[in-house]
Short mmCIF file of all heavy atoms in Angstrom, two decimals:
data_model
loop_
_atom_site.label_atom_id
_atom_site.label_comp_id
_atom_site.label_asym_id
_atom_site.label_seq_id
_atom_site.Cartn_x
_atom_site.Cartn_y
_atom_site.Cartn_z
N PRO A 92 23.48 172.01 -73.08
CA PRO A 92 23.39 173.25 -72.27
C PRO A 92 23.28 172.94 -70.79
O PRO A 92 23.48 173.82 -69.95
CB PRO A 92 22.11 173.92 -72.79
CG PRO A 92 21.34 172.85 -73.49
CD PRO A 92 22.35 171.86 -74.00
N TYR A 93 22.97 171.69 -70.45
CA TYR A 93 22.81 171.31 -69.05
C TYR A 93 24.08 170.66 -68.49
O TYR A 93 24.07 170.15 -67.37
CB TYR A 93 21.62 170.35 -68.90
CG TYR A 93 20.34 170.91 -69.44
CD1 TYR A 93 19.64 170.26 -70.46
CD2 TYR A 93 19.83 172.12 -68.95
CE1 TYR A 93 18.47 170.79 -70.96
CE2 TYR A 93 18.66 172.66 -69.45
CZ TYR A 93 17.98 171.99 -70.46
OH TYR A 93 16.82 172.50 -70.95
N PHE A 94 25.15 170.67 -69.26
CA PHE A 94 26.43 170.14 -68.78
C PHE A 94 26.84 170.82 -67.48
O PHE A 94 26.75 172.04 -67.36
CB PHE A 94 27.50 170.34 -69.85
CG PHE A 94 28.88 169.92 -69.42
CD1 PHE A 94 29.17 168.58 -69.23
CD2 PHE A 94 29.87 170.86 -69.20
CE1 PHE A 94 30.44 168.18 -68.82
CE2 PHE A 94 31.15 170.47 -68.79
CZ PHE A 94 31.42 169.13 -68.61
N ASP A 95 27.29 170.01 -66.51
CA ASP A 95 27.74 170.55 -65.22
C ASP A 95 29.15 170.06 -64.96
O ASP A 95 29.37 168.90 -64.62
CB ASP A 95 26.80 170.10 -64.10
CG ASP A 95 27.17 170.73 -62.77
OD1 ASP A 95 28.26 171.32 -62.65
OD2 ASP A 95 26.35 170.62 -61.83
N VAL A 96 30.09 170.97 -65.08
CA VAL A 96 31.51 170.62 -64.97
C VAL A 96 31.85 170.11 -63.56
O VAL A 96 32.81 169.37 -63.37
CB VAL A 96 32.39 171.83 -65.35
CG1 VAL A 96 32.31 172.92 -64.29
CG2 VAL A 96 33.84 171.39 -65.56
N LYS A 97 31.04 170.48 -62.59
CA LYS A 97 31.34 170.11 -61.20
C LYS A 97 30.72 168.77 -60.80
O LYS A 97 30.89 168.32 -59.67
CB LYS A 97 30.87 171.21 -60.26
CG LYS A 97 31.70 172.48 -60.37
CD LYS A 97 31.18 173.55 -59.46
CE LYS A 97 32.01 174.83 -59.58
NZ LYS A 97 31.36 175.95 -58.87
N SER A 98 29.99 168.17 -61.69
CA SER A 98 29.37 166.88 -61.37
C SER A 98 30.30 165.75 -61.80
O SER A 98 30.90 165.79 -62.86
CB SER A 98 28.03 166.76 -62.10
OG SER A 98 27.35 165.63 -61.64
N THR A 99 30.42 164.72 -60.96
CA THR A 99 31.29 163.59 -61.27
C THR A 99 30.47 162.31 -61.37
O THR A 99 29.40 162.20 -60.77
CB THR A 99 32.36 163.40 -60.18
OG1 THR A 99 31.69 163.11 -58.94
CG2 THR A 99 33.20 164.64 -60.02
N ILE A 100 31.03 161.35 -62.11
CA ILE A 100 30.36 160.07 -62.29
C ILE A 100 30.09 159.39 -60.94
O ILE A 100 29.03 158.83 -60.71
CB ILE A 100 31.22 159.12 -63.18
CG1 ILE A 100 31.40 159.73 -64.58
CG2 ILE A 100 30.59 157.74 -63.25
CD1 ILE A 100 30.21 159.60 -65.49
N ASN A 101 31.08 159.46 -60.04
CA ASN A 101 30.93 158.81 -58.75
C ASN A 101 30.00 159.54 -57.80
O ASN A 101 29.47 158.96 -56.85
CB ASN A 101 32.30 158.66 -58.07
CG ASN A 101 33.17 157.65 -58.79
OD1 ASN A 101 32.64 156.72 -59.42
ND2 ASN A 101 34.48 157.82 -58.73
N ASN A 102 29.85 160.84 -58.06
CA ASN A 102 28.99 161.64 -57.18
C ASN A 102 28.18 162.63 -58.00
O ASN A 102 28.41 163.83 -57.96
CB ASN A 102 29.86 162.37 -56.14
CG ASN A 102 29.02 162.99 -55.05
OD1 ASN A 102 27.86 162.62 -54.86
ND2 ASN A 102 29.59 163.96 -54.35
N PRO A 103 27.22 162.09 -58.77
CA PRO A 103 26.44 162.97 -59.65
C PRO A 103 25.54 163.92 -58.85
O PRO A 103 25.02 163.55 -57.81
CB PRO A 103 25.59 161.99 -60.46
CG PRO A 103 25.94 160.62 -60.01
CD PRO A 103 26.76 160.72 -58.78
N ARG A 104 25.42 165.11 -59.37
CA ARG A 104 24.61 166.11 -58.67
C ARG A 104 23.12 166.00 -58.98
O ARG A 104 22.29 166.33 -58.17
CB ARG A 104 25.02 167.51 -59.12
CG ARG A 104 26.21 168.07 -58.44
CD ARG A 104 26.37 169.51 -58.88
NE ARG A 104 27.40 170.18 -58.10
CZ ARG A 104 27.68 171.47 -58.24
NH1 ARG A 104 27.01 172.20 -59.13
NH2 ARG A 104 28.61 172.03 -57.52
N TRP A 105 22.83 165.57 -60.23
CA TRP A 105 21.46 165.76 -60.71
C TRP A 105 20.78 164.43 -61.04
O TRP A 105 21.21 163.72 -61.92
CB TRP A 105 21.47 166.68 -61.94
CG TRP A 105 22.20 167.96 -61.67
CD1 TRP A 105 23.42 168.34 -62.16
CD2 TRP A 105 21.77 169.02 -60.82
NE1 TRP A 105 23.77 169.57 -61.67
CE2 TRP A 105 22.78 170.01 -60.84
CE3 TRP A 105 20.63 169.24 -60.03
CZ2 TRP A 105 22.68 171.20 -60.10
CZ3 TRP A 105 20.54 170.41 -59.30
CH2 TRP A 105 21.54 171.37 -59.34
N GLN A 106 19.75 164.15 -60.26
CA GLN A 106 18.93 162.97 -60.51
C GLN A 106 17.55 163.40 -60.99
O GLN A 106 17.11 164.50 -60.70
CB GLN A 106 18.76 162.13 -59.24
CG GLN A 106 20.03 161.42 -58.84
CD GLN A 106 20.70 162.14 -57.70
OE1 GLN A 106 21.08 163.29 -57.83
NE2 GLN A 106 20.84 161.46 -56.58
N THR A 107 16.90 162.50 -61.69
CA THR A 107 15.57 162.84 -62.18
C THR A 107 14.71 161.59 -62.30
O THR A 107 15.04 160.56 -61.70
CB THR A 107 15.67 163.60 -63.53
OG1 THR A 107 14.37 164.06 -63.89
CG2 THR A 107 16.28 162.74 -64.61
N VAL A 108 13.62 161.70 -63.01
CA VAL A 108 12.70 160.56 -63.16
C VAL A 108 12.33 160.41 -64.63
O VAL A 108 12.54 161.31 -65.43
CB VAL A 108 11.39 160.77 -62.35
CG1 VAL A 108 11.68 160.85 -60.86
CG2 VAL A 108 10.63 162.00 -62.83
N LYS A 109 11.79 159.22 -64.93
CA LYS A 109 11.21 159.02 -66.26
C LYS A 109 9.69 159.07 -66.12
O LYS A 109 9.14 158.51 -65.17
CB LYS A 109 11.65 157.67 -66.85
CG LYS A 109 11.13 157.44 -68.26
CD LYS A 109 11.50 156.04 -68.77
CE LYS A 109 12.69 156.11 -69.71
NZ LYS A 109 12.90 154.82 -70.41
N VAL A 110 9.06 159.76 -67.06
CA VAL A 110 7.60 159.91 -67.01
C VAL A 110 6.96 159.35 -68.27
O VAL A 110 7.62 159.23 -69.31
CB VAL A 110 7.19 161.39 -66.84
CG1 VAL A 110 7.58 161.91 -65.47
CG2 VAL A 110 7.78 162.25 -67.95
N GLN A 111 5.68 159.02 -68.13
CA GLN A 111 4.91 158.51 -69.27
C GLN A 111 3.67 159.38 -69.46
O GLN A 111 3.03 159.79 -68.51
CB GLN A 111 4.48 157.07 -69.00
CG GLN A 111 3.67 156.46 -70.13
CD GLN A 111 3.48 154.96 -69.94
OE1 GLN A 111 3.24 154.50 -68.83
NE2 GLN A 111 3.61 154.21 -71.01
N PHE A 112 3.35 159.63 -70.71
CA PHE A 112 2.15 160.39 -71.06
C PHE A 112 0.90 159.70 -70.55
O PHE A 112 0.75 158.49 -70.71
CB PHE A 112 2.07 160.53 -72.58
CG PHE A 112 0.84 161.24 -73.07
CD1 PHE A 112 0.78 162.63 -73.08
CD2 PHE A 112 -0.27 160.53 -73.51
CE1 PHE A 112 -0.35 163.29 -73.53
CE2 PHE A 112 -1.41 161.19 -73.96
CZ PHE A 112 -1.45 162.57 -73.96
N LYS A 113 0.02 160.44 -69.91
CA LYS A 113 -1.28 159.91 -69.49
C LYS A 113 -2.39 160.54 -70.32
O LYS A 113 -3.16 159.85 -70.96
CB LYS A 113 -1.52 160.20 -68.01
CG LYS A 113 -0.68 159.40 -67.06
CD LYS A 113 -1.22 158.00 -66.84
CE LYS A 113 -2.40 158.05 -65.88
NZ LYS A 113 -2.85 156.66 -65.56
N GLN A 114 -2.46 161.87 -70.28
CA GLN A 114 -3.49 162.54 -71.07
C GLN A 114 -3.15 164.00 -71.30
O GLN A 114 -2.41 164.60 -70.53
CB GLN A 114 -4.87 162.42 -70.40
CG GLN A 114 -4.96 163.20 -69.10
CD GLN A 114 -6.37 163.15 -68.53
OE1 GLN A 114 -6.59 162.63 -67.42
NE2 GLN A 114 -7.33 163.70 -69.27
N LYS A 115 -3.71 164.51 -72.39
CA LYS A 115 -3.70 165.95 -72.61
C LYS A 115 -5.11 166.44 -72.32
O LYS A 115 -6.07 165.86 -72.81
CB LYS A 115 -3.32 166.26 -74.06
CG LYS A 115 -3.31 167.75 -74.37
CD LYS A 115 -3.01 168.03 -75.84
CE LYS A 115 -3.09 169.52 -76.11
NZ LYS A 115 -2.85 169.85 -77.54
N PHE A 116 -5.23 167.48 -71.52
CA PHE A 116 -6.55 167.99 -71.17
C PHE A 116 -7.19 168.66 -72.38
O PHE A 116 -6.48 169.29 -73.19
CB PHE A 116 -6.46 168.96 -70.00
CG PHE A 116 -5.98 168.33 -68.72
CD1 PHE A 116 -5.24 169.07 -67.80
CD2 PHE A 116 -6.26 167.00 -68.43
CE1 PHE A 116 -4.79 168.50 -66.61
CE2 PHE A 116 -5.83 166.42 -67.25
CZ PHE A 116 -5.09 167.17 -66.34
N PRO A 117 -8.53 168.54 -72.50
CA PRO A 117 -9.24 169.15 -73.63
C PRO A 117 -9.03 170.67 -73.67
O PRO A 117 -8.97 171.26 -74.75
CB PRO A 117 -10.70 168.79 -73.39
CG PRO A 117 -10.79 168.27 -71.99
CD PRO A 117 -9.43 167.78 -71.63
N GLU A 118 -8.93 171.27 -72.49
CA GLU A 118 -8.62 172.71 -72.43
C GLU A 118 -7.55 172.94 -71.38
O GLU A 118 -7.52 172.28 -70.34
CB GLU A 118 -9.88 173.50 -72.04
CG GLU A 118 -10.90 173.61 -73.14
CD GLU A 118 -12.05 174.51 -72.72
OE1 GLU A 118 -11.79 175.62 -72.21
OE2 GLU A 118 -13.19 174.09 -72.90
N ILE A 119 -6.69 173.91 -71.68
CA ILE A 119 -5.65 174.23 -70.71
C ILE A 119 -6.30 174.83 -69.46
O ILE A 119 -7.32 175.53 -69.56
CB ILE A 119 -4.63 175.21 -71.34
CG1 ILE A 119 -3.33 175.23 -70.54
CG2 ILE A 119 -5.21 176.62 -71.45
CD1 ILE A 119 -2.16 175.84 -71.32
N ILE A 120 -5.75 174.49 -68.30
CA ILE A 120 -6.18 175.15 -67.06
C ILE A 120 -5.21 176.30 -66.86
O ILE A 120 -4.07 176.11 -66.45
CB ILE A 120 -6.14 174.17 -65.87
CG1 ILE A 120 -6.97 172.92 -66.20
CG2 ILE A 120 -6.66 174.84 -64.62
CD1 ILE A 120 -6.68 171.74 -65.31
N SER A 121 -5.67 177.49 -67.20
CA SER A 121 -4.76 178.62 -67.33
C SER A 121 -4.23 179.08 -65.98
O SER A 121 -4.84 178.85 -64.92
CB SER A 121 -5.46 179.79 -68.01
OG SER A 121 -6.39 180.37 -67.12
N LEU A 122 -3.09 179.74 -66.04
CA LEU A 122 -2.51 180.30 -64.82
C LEU A 122 -3.50 181.25 -64.16
O LEU A 122 -3.62 181.27 -62.93
CB LEU A 122 -1.21 181.02 -65.17
CG LEU A 122 -0.50 181.71 -63.99
CD1 LEU A 122 -0.17 180.72 -62.89
CD2 LEU A 122 0.75 182.43 -64.47
N ASN A 123 -4.21 182.04 -64.96
CA ASN A 123 -5.20 182.96 -64.39
C ASN A 123 -6.27 182.21 -63.60
O ASN A 123 -6.64 182.64 -62.50
CB ASN A 123 -5.85 183.79 -65.50
CG ASN A 123 -4.97 184.96 -65.91
OD1 ASN A 123 -4.10 185.38 -65.13
ND2 ASN A 123 -5.16 185.46 -67.10
N THR A 124 -6.76 181.11 -64.17
CA THR A 124 -7.75 180.30 -63.46
C THR A 124 -7.18 179.78 -62.15
O THR A 124 -7.84 179.83 -61.11
CB THR A 124 -8.18 179.11 -64.34
OG1 THR A 124 -8.77 179.61 -65.54
CG2 THR A 124 -9.18 178.21 -63.63
N LEU A 125 -5.96 179.29 -62.21
CA LEU A 125 -5.33 178.75 -61.00
C LEU A 125 -5.14 179.84 -59.96
O LEU A 125 -5.31 179.60 -58.76
CB LEU A 125 -4.00 178.10 -61.37
CG LEU A 125 -4.12 176.85 -62.24
CD1 LEU A 125 -2.79 176.47 -62.86
CD2 LEU A 125 -4.68 175.68 -61.43
N LYS A 126 -4.83 181.05 -60.43
CA LYS A 126 -4.66 182.17 -59.49
C LYS A 126 -5.99 182.54 -58.84
O LYS A 126 -6.02 182.94 -57.67
CB LYS A 126 -4.10 183.39 -60.23
CG LYS A 126 -2.60 183.36 -60.42
CD LYS A 126 -2.15 184.62 -61.16
CE LYS A 126 -0.64 184.66 -61.31
NZ LYS A 126 -0.24 185.77 -62.20
N GLU A 127 -7.07 182.42 -59.63
CA GLU A 127 -8.39 182.72 -59.07
C GLU A 127 -8.78 181.70 -58.01
O GLU A 127 -9.44 182.01 -57.03
CB GLU A 127 -9.45 182.72 -60.18
CG GLU A 127 -9.42 183.96 -61.05
CD GLU A 127 -10.29 183.80 -62.31
OE1 GLU A 127 -11.15 182.89 -62.33
OE2 GLU A 127 -10.09 184.58 -63.24
N ARG A 128 -8.38 180.44 -58.27
CA ARG A 128 -8.81 179.35 -57.41
C ARG A 128 -8.00 179.20 -56.13
O ARG A 128 -8.51 178.76 -55.12
CB ARG A 128 -8.74 178.04 -58.19
CG ARG A 128 -10.09 177.60 -58.68
CD ARG A 128 -9.97 176.38 -59.55
NE ARG A 128 -10.72 176.59 -60.78
CZ ARG A 128 -10.85 175.68 -61.72
NH1 ARG A 128 -10.25 174.52 -61.61
NH2 ARG A 128 -11.55 175.93 -62.79
N PHE A 129 -6.71 179.54 -56.23
CA PHE A 129 -5.83 179.22 -55.10
C PHE A 129 -5.00 180.41 -54.66
O PHE A 129 -4.64 181.27 -55.47
CB PHE A 129 -4.88 178.07 -55.48
CG PHE A 129 -5.58 176.87 -56.00
CD1 PHE A 129 -5.41 176.45 -57.31
CD2 PHE A 129 -6.45 176.15 -55.18
CE1 PHE A 129 -6.07 175.34 -57.79
CE2 PHE A 129 -7.11 175.03 -55.66
CZ PHE A 129 -6.92 174.63 -56.96
N SER A 130 -4.68 180.41 -53.38
CA SER A 130 -3.76 181.41 -52.85
C SER A 130 -2.34 180.86 -52.91
O SER A 130 -2.13 179.66 -53.05
CB SER A 130 -4.12 181.73 -51.40
OG SER A 130 -3.78 180.62 -50.58
N GLY A 131 -1.39 181.73 -52.79
CA GLY A 131 0.01 181.33 -52.79
C GLY A 131 0.35 180.43 -51.62
O GLY A 131 1.25 179.59 -51.73
N ASP A 132 -0.36 180.60 -50.52
CA ASP A 132 -0.10 179.74 -49.36
C ASP A 132 -0.60 178.33 -49.60
O ASP A 132 -0.03 177.36 -49.09
CB ASP A 132 -0.79 180.32 -48.11
CG ASP A 132 -0.10 181.59 -47.64
OD1 ASP A 132 1.09 181.76 -47.98
OD2 ASP A 132 -0.74 182.39 -46.96
N GLU A 133 -1.64 178.19 -50.42
CA GLU A 133 -2.18 176.87 -50.70
C GLU A 133 -1.33 176.11 -51.71
O GLU A 133 -1.12 174.92 -51.61
CB GLU A 133 -3.60 176.99 -51.29
CG GLU A 133 -4.66 177.40 -50.31
CD GLU A 133 -5.99 177.61 -51.02
OE1 GLU A 133 -6.06 178.42 -51.96
OE2 GLU A 133 -6.95 176.95 -50.64
N PHE A 134 -0.88 176.86 -52.74
CA PHE A 134 -0.28 176.23 -53.91
C PHE A 134 0.93 177.06 -54.33
O PHE A 134 0.80 178.20 -54.76
CB PHE A 134 -1.34 176.18 -55.02
CG PHE A 134 -1.00 175.31 -56.20
CD1 PHE A 134 0.13 174.51 -56.21
CD2 PHE A 134 -1.85 175.30 -57.30
CE1 PHE A 134 0.42 173.71 -57.30
CE2 PHE A 134 -1.57 174.50 -58.40
CZ PHE A 134 -0.43 173.70 -58.40
N LEU A 135 2.10 176.43 -54.20
CA LEU A 135 3.36 177.12 -54.51
C LEU A 135 3.37 177.76 -55.90
O LEU A 135 3.97 178.81 -56.10
CB LEU A 135 4.51 176.10 -54.45
CG LEU A 135 5.38 176.06 -53.20
CD1 LEU A 135 6.49 175.05 -53.41
CD2 LEU A 135 5.96 177.44 -52.93
N LEU A 136 2.70 177.10 -56.84
CA LEU A 136 2.73 177.58 -58.22
C LEU A 136 2.35 179.05 -58.33
O LEU A 136 2.95 179.79 -59.11
CB LEU A 136 1.79 176.74 -59.09
CG LEU A 136 1.72 177.20 -60.55
CD1 LEU A 136 2.97 176.78 -61.29
CD2 LEU A 136 0.48 176.67 -61.24
N VAL A 137 1.33 179.45 -57.57
CA VAL A 137 0.82 180.82 -57.71
C VAL A 137 1.38 181.77 -56.66
O VAL A 137 0.95 182.91 -56.54
CB VAL A 137 -0.73 180.84 -57.68
CG1 VAL A 137 -1.27 180.11 -58.89
CG2 VAL A 137 -1.27 180.24 -56.40
N LYS A 138 2.36 181.29 -55.91
CA LYS A 138 3.00 182.16 -54.93
C LYS A 138 3.88 183.19 -55.64
O LYS A 138 4.65 182.84 -56.54
CB LYS A 138 3.83 181.33 -53.96
CG LYS A 138 4.34 182.10 -52.78
CD LYS A 138 4.85 181.15 -51.70
CE LYS A 138 5.17 181.94 -50.43
NZ LYS A 138 5.35 181.08 -49.27
N LYS A 139 3.75 184.42 -55.23
CA LYS A 139 4.52 185.49 -55.85
C LYS A 139 6.02 185.22 -55.77
O LYS A 139 6.53 184.90 -54.71
CB LYS A 139 4.20 186.81 -55.14
CG LYS A 139 4.85 188.03 -55.71
CD LYS A 139 4.32 189.28 -54.98
CE LYS A 139 5.29 190.44 -55.05
NZ LYS A 139 5.40 191.03 -56.37
N GLY A 140 6.66 185.33 -56.90
CA GLY A 140 8.11 185.17 -56.93
C GLY A 140 8.58 183.74 -57.08
O GLY A 140 9.77 183.51 -57.26
N ASN A 141 7.65 182.78 -57.00
CA ASN A 141 8.06 181.39 -57.10
C ASN A 141 8.56 181.06 -58.51
O ASN A 141 7.95 181.41 -59.51
CB ASN A 141 6.90 180.47 -56.78
CG ASN A 141 7.22 179.03 -57.14
OD1 ASN A 141 8.15 178.45 -56.61
ND2 ASN A 141 6.48 178.48 -58.07
N ARG A 142 9.70 180.36 -58.57
CA ARG A 142 10.24 179.97 -59.88
C ARG A 142 10.56 178.49 -59.95
O ARG A 142 11.22 178.04 -60.87
CB ARG A 142 11.53 180.76 -60.17
CG ARG A 142 11.31 182.26 -60.22
CD ARG A 142 12.58 182.96 -60.64
NE ARG A 142 13.74 182.34 -59.98
CZ ARG A 142 14.97 182.78 -60.10
NH1 ARG A 142 15.21 183.84 -60.85
NH2 ARG A 142 15.96 182.20 -59.50
N LEU A 143 10.11 177.75 -58.97
CA LEU A 143 10.39 176.31 -58.98
C LEU A 143 9.78 175.64 -60.20
O LEU A 143 8.65 175.92 -60.56
CB LEU A 143 9.79 175.67 -57.74
CG LEU A 143 10.65 175.43 -56.53
CD1 LEU A 143 9.87 174.62 -55.52
CD2 LEU A 143 11.94 174.73 -56.91
N SER A 144 10.54 174.73 -60.81
CA SER A 144 10.02 174.06 -61.99
C SER A 144 9.45 172.68 -61.67
O SER A 144 8.83 172.05 -62.51
CB SER A 144 11.11 173.92 -63.05
OG SER A 144 12.13 173.07 -62.60
N VAL A 145 9.69 172.21 -60.45
CA VAL A 145 9.11 170.96 -59.98
C VAL A 145 8.61 171.19 -58.56
O VAL A 145 9.37 171.67 -57.72
CB VAL A 145 10.15 169.82 -59.96
CG1 VAL A 145 9.54 168.53 -59.42
CG2 VAL A 145 10.74 169.58 -61.34
#
Side-chain angles (χ1 to χ4, degrees):
Chain A
Y93 304 121
F94 175 69
D95 184 348
V96 71
K97 290 178 180 170
S98 189
T99 62
I100 298 283
N101 290 332
N102 191 19
R104 277 187 172 184
W105 307 108
Q106 289 102 299
T107 187
V108 297
K109 183 184 259 191
V110 292
Q111 180 170 40
F112 177 82
K113 289 279 282 186
Q114 68 175 118
K115 179 183 176 182
F116 296 148
E118 286 185 48
I119 198 163
I120 305 163
S121 73
L122 178 59
N123 279 339
T124 299
L125 293 165
K126 278 181 177 171
E127 284 169 17
R128 259 175 229 183
F129 306 115
S130 71
D132 289 337
E133 288 175 303
F134 192 6
L135 260 183
L136 179 75
V137 295
K138 190 165 188 166
K139 184 174 155 70
N141 169 61
R142 299 185 319 184
L143 263 188
S144 66
V145 178

